[in-house]
Amino acid sequence: GVLEDPYAEPPDDVFLWTQSPEKAPDKPEYVTIEFEKGIPVAINGEKKSLLAIIEELNKTAGKHGVGRIDHMEDRTVGIKSREVYEAPAAITLIKAHFDLEKLTLTKWELSMKQLVDTTWSWLVYNGLWFEPLREELTYFIDKVSENVEGEVKVKLYKGSAMVVGRKSSKALYDLKLSSYESISQFNQKLAEGFVELWGLQSTAAYALRKS
């Protein structure tokens, strides 16, 4: 069919859950999603089951054209295929969840979490649910997710789900340290020595190899 041609744009009638961005409402809609230990537990201030949140977001985000995916994949047997999906709730939740992770996890936790997520997803996608590594990675995900709590505000508009606000009692963001204004308590002069030491090896290698 037409979808087997990777250059052909998918016709609008192959999508059931998502409105075409061109036909989506001209006015944006905002949704708030609350997370506890990494799990969505409320939408727009109302506590709901995960299933109910997914069902509501499929309708709300889908109405705004969010969640259409068109990309090339590598099958396990080595064949490349063009795949077209629609996942309005999943796309919205993933973006909100990742943004909350960036607010509540250290940069080292976040870096490792991204590697773990990629490996975990690959194992599950390829049918290796009972692989011991999958279970071991799940322990890490569960532990890190204990700190992923808070509320994220998402703007839905013309095919886009954009995070425009986030807050958490476990946020690692500190205005007094992060601000560039006079209220900052961070001694910026300390950065001079740090920058010099941080790039010392790279600078030495660059000078040696360019000489």
Side-chain angles (χ1 to χ4, degrees), residues 29 31-36 38-60 93 151:
E29 184 172 353
V31 295
T32 59
I33 305 166
E34 183 181 343
F35 293 85
E36 291 181 2
I39 304 297
V41 296
I43 183 168
N44 295 328
E46 184 178 352
K47 294 284 186 179
K48 292 188 176 184
S49 68
L50 178 57
L51 175 60
I53 291 174
I54 291 173
E55 290 176 336
E56 182 170 339
L57 278 176
N58 269 340
K59 295 178 182 178
T60 306
L93 289 171
E151 183 176 289

Side-chain angles (χ1 to χ4, degrees), residues 30-33 151-155 162-166:
Y30 294 83
V31 295
T32 59
I33 305 166
E151 183 176 289
V152 180
K153 180 166 56 176
V154 183
K155 179 181 180 180
M162 179 184 297
V163 174
V164 294
R166 74 288 291 162

Side-chain angles (χ1 to χ4, degrees), residues 21 24 33-34 82 100 138 158 176 191 211:
I33 305 166
E34 183 181 343
R82 189 263 189 97
L100 190 59
T138 300
K158 298 289 187 182
K176 293 180 180 179
S211 61

